[in-house]
């Protein structure tokens, strides 16, 4: 049904317009309590065995929506209604910014992939913090907050920019992510070098501790394009700073192995590639992080996860949590339900009693 709808409606629309339309419907449905409960009843039932404890959180399952879909925290409850076990909002920057000129989001349907150069379009951390503060206390949604650098702020002043957003958003986050891996903000990925990353993560940690009540877990999100030695260096730094976790990975600037016509891909131009073509490298980075940290850091896997089998393989490779974005566009509203049902079957057929027991099992074999 969704595939037919995608072909008849979404495919004919500009991808960013399709995103806004779909997100509007999701928010509309979740604003009507009877409808929200009905939809959640169909899409969001989970096997209790999928309950996941990670980052000090107790989640109904391991599968979240990756950053970038809900940049301004406008639809957390609607996305939770669809079955996401947690929603990572952002990337949010200290100053509001419009992002790059449009068009800036492109589909590679034959590759089940997307290319985006959105450029952190968002309302800024003050507006997003105010919106999060208005959320009803009764909401059970689990919210990760992902922050990045304002484009016009020079690299040398990046720490202050991240600290400003941290001060505003710390109280509203179940976990916090320092994003240094988007390819669409010039210079951002230089912050992944450990000499830059150490003072940045230290400052954000100190600000979280000074601002929030209780421990807010802090993670860093890295690019798949890091050299293996740099992936190892981030794992070492995470251990040194007692970081709570690493998210692997963001989109890639690579264009290898695509089915789409080369001229079409070249015509799209710069941007981060996500979806199925990212699967292999994102898995490799995850495996490397798990091996290097000897399983001592919580890892969140993202990049090309489309099916329950994909999610399961990442868990076996060392991920305590998994996320996705691009496949949501191609799979539609039943995606979470399929992932949860599939994971439940894979867990039942495995020797493990809980998902937690399965984490890293492939690496231990
Ligand atoms: C349109 C779009 C916008 C994105 N925006 C962000 C963002 O603002 N911050 C971020 O950390 N990641 C962002 N991402 C990256 C995703 O969170 C994810 O890391 C990446 O897409 C790989 O996962 P996937 O293959 O399941 O899409 C974005 C991805 C897409 C497709």
């Amino acid at each position: 049904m969704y595939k037919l709808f995608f072909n008849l409606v979404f495919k004919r629309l500009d991808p960013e317009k399709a995103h806004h339309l779909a997100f509007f419907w999701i928010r509309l449905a979740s604003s009507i309590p009877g409808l929200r409960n009905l939809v959640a009843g169909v899409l969001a039932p989970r096997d209790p065995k999928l309950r996941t404890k990670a980052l000090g959180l107790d989640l109904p399952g391991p599968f979240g929506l990756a950053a970038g879909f809900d940049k301004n925290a406008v639809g957390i409850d609607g996305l939770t209604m669809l079955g996401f076990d947690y929603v990572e909002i952002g990337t949010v920057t200290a100053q509001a910014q419009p992002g790059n000129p449009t068009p800036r989001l492109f589909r590679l349907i034959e590759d089940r992939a997307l290319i985006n150069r959105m450029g952190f379009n968002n309302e800024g951390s003050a507006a997003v913090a105010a919106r999060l503060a208005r959320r009803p206390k009764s909401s059970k949604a689990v919210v990760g907050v992902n922050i990045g650098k304002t484009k016009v702020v020079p690299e040398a002043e990046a720490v202050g920019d991240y600290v400003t957003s941290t001060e505003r958003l710390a109280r509203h986050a179940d976990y916090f992510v320092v994003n240094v891996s988007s390819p669409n903000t010039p210079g951002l990925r230089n912050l992944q070098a450990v000499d830059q990353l150490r003072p940045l993560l230290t400052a954000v940690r100190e600000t979280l501790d000074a601002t929030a009540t209780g421990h807010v877990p802090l993670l860093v999100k890295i690019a798949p394009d890091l050299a293996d030695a740099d992936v190892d260096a981030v794992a070492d730094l995470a251990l040194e700073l007692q970081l709570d976790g690493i998210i692997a990975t963001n989109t890639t600037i690579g264009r290898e192995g695509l089915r789409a016509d080369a001229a079409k891909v070249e015509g799209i131009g710069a941007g981060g590639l996500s979806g199925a073509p990212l699967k292999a490298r994102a898995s490799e980075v995850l495996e490397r992080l798990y091996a290097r940290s000897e399983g001592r850091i919580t890892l969140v896997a993202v990049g090309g996860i489309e099916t329950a089998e994909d999610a399961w393989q990442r868990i076996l490779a060392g991920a305590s949590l998994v996320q996705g974005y691009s496949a949501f566009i191609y799979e539609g509203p039943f995606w979470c339900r399929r992932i949860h049902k599939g994971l439940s079957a894979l867990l039942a057929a495995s020797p493990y009693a809980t998902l937690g027991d399965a984490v890293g099992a492939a690496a231990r074999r």
Side-chain angles (χ1 to χ4, degrees), residues 19 64-69 105 114 302 305 323-329 335:
H19 167 82
L65 180 61
F69 191 95
L105 176 59
L114 300 171
V302 56
I305 293 176
Q323 311 182 325
Y325 182 155
S326 301
F328 186 29
I329 310 305
W335 190 37

Side-chain angles (χ1 to χ4, degrees), residues 257-328:
L258 295 177
R259 284 184 210 147
D261 183 55
K264 174 182 166 185
V265 175
E266 209 179 304
I268 289 173
L273 172 71
S274 57
L278 189 55
K279 203 173 287 192
R281 180 60 189 161
S283 304
E284 233 172 65
V285 172
L286 174 74
E287 284 161 24
R288 201 162 181 99
L289 288 169
Y290 191 78
R292 183 74 180 191
S293 64
E294 295 168 338
R296 286 178 290 154
I297 305 171
T298 299
L299 299 176
V300 181
V302 56
I305 293 176
E306 301 180 289
T307 63
E309 181 63 36
D310 293 333
W312 179 243
Q313 290 305 326
R314 301 294 168 102
I315 291 167
L316 294 179
S320 299
L321 297 172
V322 288
Q323 311 182 325
Y325 182 155
S326 301
F328 186 29

Side-chain angles (χ1 to χ4, degrees), residues 18-263:
H19 167 82
H20 289 304
L21 182 66
F23 203 9
F24 170 77
W25 287 336
I26 293 168
R27 283 168 14 219
L28 184 68
S30 83
S31 69
I32 305 164
L35 187 56
R36 180 172 66 224
N37 294 339
L38 190 77
V39 174
V42 176
L43 299 182
R46 288 98 162 168
D47 180 345
K49 290 209 174 81
L50 295 184
R51 275 213 94 80
T52 300
K53 287 198 162 66
L55 301 171
L57 304 169
D58 187 7
L59 303 162
F63 185 56
L65 180 61
F69 191 95
D70 188 0
K71 289 185 186 268
N72 294 308
V74 294
I76 294 166
D77 292 313
L79 294 161
T80 302
M81 167 192 82
L82 296 187
F84 288 104
D85 297 310
Y86 60 99
V87 176
E88 190 171 310
I89 62 126
T91 292
V92 183
T93 55
Q95 300 175 32
Q97 56 183 32
N100 288 321
T102 55
R104 54 192 180 177
L105 176 59
F106 307 87
R107 302 186 194 99
L108 300 179
I109 293 176
E110 52 279 69
D111 290 296
R112 302 193 309 281
L114 300 171
I115 291 177
N116 90 84
R117 53 168 171 274
M118 306 300 288
F120 291 167
N121 53 308
N122 78 105
E123 294 172 9
S125 51
V128 173
R131 183 168 294 124
L132 287 170
R134 289 196 298 271
R135 286 177 46 70
K137 296 276 169 288
S138 58
S139 169
K140 289 198 182 74
V142 176
V143 182
V145 171
N146 176 312
I147 61 166
K149 185 182 81 63
T150 306
K151 185 177 179 186
V152 296
V153 167
E155 228 175 291
E157 291 164 29
V159 172
D161 195 63
Y162 279 87
V163 163
T164 298
S165 291
T166 308
E167 282 166 349
R168 291 172 177 158
L169 291 162
R171 279 180 295 274
H172 309 296
D174 291 308
Y175 71 88
F176 219 75
V177 182
V178 165
N179 178 14
V180 282
S181 47
S182 164
N184 303 313
T185 295
L188 187 84
R189 302 193 317 163
N190 298 339
L191 299 173
Q192 291 175 112
V194 287
D195 289 350
Q196 300 235 50
L197 199 50
R198 185 180 286 108
L200 172 59
L201 292 173
T202 304
V204 171
R205 178 73 268 164
E206 284 170 5
T207 310
L208 285 173
D209 292 342
T211 319
T213 37
H215 181 79
V216 178
L218 175 62
L219 300 89
V220 64
K221 183 168 178 181
I222 63 170
D225 306 318
L226 286 177
D228 287 346
D230 295 329
V231 173
D232 289 350
V234 172
D236 294 349
L237 182 69
L239 286 169
E240 177 197 317
L241 299 180
Q242 295 183 311
L243 212 64
D244 297 279
I246 303 176
I247 304 187
T249 67
N250 214 311
T251 57
T252 176
I253 55 168
R255 298 288 188 263
E256 289 82 40
L258 295 177
R259 284 184 210 147
D261 183 55

